[in-house]
Amino acid sequence: MPAYRAISFETPGQSIYIATPAYESVKAGYALSLAKTVQELTRRNIPHAINILFGNCHVDDGRNDCVRDFLDNTQCTDLVFWDADVMAEPKDFLKLIRHNTTDIIAGAYPFKSDSGKFPVGKILDGVEYKDGKEALLS
């Protein structure tokens, strides 16, 4: 299965593995967002690796392949799945990776409408994260 895989420098501490399974291609907005985010990670000396896996129409299989690569072939500490059609600002990516927890966290994006509502709102229900830490979804 074809893949684009770029590993940057390996240093002690937090290092980020960005994984994107995509069937045929990534969207232009994603590519721009990824480029800006990688530039910001590099500027801040945050080690990172990128795996854009092409050719699997089953996103769950693609994600499994990315997890396997993350565990078997990198020394990265954090795995971030980034969908091939999602735009994000580097500041939001940094907020995600700097959230101080050992649990699994997820970044959510709003419904495709002008409502500003998120599909996970009922789960978080606007409450603070455990131990009084701020939730990612505000």
Side-chain angles (χ1 to χ4, degrees):
M1 192 166 307
Y4 167 77
R5 186 165 186 273
I7 300 291
S8 70
F9 46 92
E10 297 284 346
T11 60
Q14 184 182 34
S15 55
I16 312 300
Y17 180 90
I18 301 170
T20 302
Y23 176 52
E24 292 181 323
S25 64
V26 299
K27 298 288 185 181
Y30 162 89
L32 177 61
S33 296
L34 180 63
K36 289 170 39 179
T37 299
V38 166
Q39 182 179 30
E40 187 63 19
L41 291 171
T42 301
R43 186 180 78 74
R44 293 172 182 258
N45 294 317
I46 299 172
H48 54 279
I50 302 167
N51 185 355
I52 302 175
L53 180 68
F54 292 103
N56 194 330
C57 64
H58 302 286
V59 71
D60 52 339
D61 290 339
R63 288 186 190 275
N64 287 341
D65 289 342
C66 290
V67 169
R68 189 175 305 108
D69 186 52
F70 166 72
L71 294 173
D72 293 345
N73 300 318
T74 77
Q75 294 181 14
C76 293
T77 59
D78 299 352
L79 167 64
V80 177
F81 281 113
W82 192 339
D83 291 348
D85 62 347
V86 173
M87 292 179 66
E89 290 297 320
K91 67 179 178 64
D92 297 321
F93 188 88
L94 291 171
K95 184 178 178 184
L96 180 77
I97 66 170
R98 290 201 168 139
H99 198 67
N100 188 18
T101 183
T102 57
D103 297 328
I104 295 172
I105 60 171
Y109 41 90
F111 287 112
K112 294 180 180 179
S113 68
D114 291 331
S115 70
K117 294 184 179 180
F118 289 80
V120 295
K122 290 185 179 181
I123 296 170
L124 296 176
D125 198 27
V127 298
E128 288 185 331
Y129 192 74
K130 73 178 184 178
D131 300 327
K133 294 187 175 94
E134 182 182 331
L136 290 173
L137 183 63
S138 52

